[in-house]
Amino acid sequence: MAGFMLLSSCDFDSVVPESELPPAAKAYIEQNQPDTKVLLIKKERSLFKTRYNVTLDNRMEIEFNGDGLPVDLDMDD
């Protein structure tokens, strides 16, 4: 039981270059936000999933799953 608890709490976050973003995520940004630039990409990995949190220069944040599909959009006011 202790081994499982240890593994399930192993989350890893890192800042990654745009080249590590899945192709589907790149295509989504190019199609839906063509006049923006990517400022920051945070890759969040846990035992069972990977997420990419992308911050654009228009203050929009898009969360993508490991396949590059959008799962959440946030726009700062």
Side-chain angles (χ1 to χ4, degrees):
M1 182 81 164
F4 177 74
M5 302 258 313
L6 178 64
L7 287 176
S8 66
S9 65
C10 291
D11 290 343
F12 181 70
D13 296 352
S14 59
V15 174
V16 296
E18 196 169 346
S19 61
E20 286 194 35
L21 201 57
K26 289 180 190 178
Y28 180 89
I29 293 168
E30 289 171 3
Q31 291 172 1
N32 295 285
Q33 299 294 321
D35 298 325
T36 62
K37 293 182 182 173
V38 173
L39 296 180
L40 180 68
I41 302 171
K42 290 183 186 175
K43 183 177 183 180
E44 299 176 355
R45 288 183 284 170
S46 64
L47 188 58
F48 298 108
K49 66 180 177 179
T50 299
R51 300 280 187 187
Y52 295 89
N53 291 306
V54 179
T55 303
L56 303 176
D57 65 353
N58 66 353
R59 298 189 314 219
M60 178 176 277
E61 294 181 10
I62 308 171
E63 182 179 342
F64 296 95
N65 66 16
D67 295 325
L69 301 175
V71 295
D72 190 30
L73 301 170
D74 227 2
M75 186 71 160
D76 286 342
D77 293 332

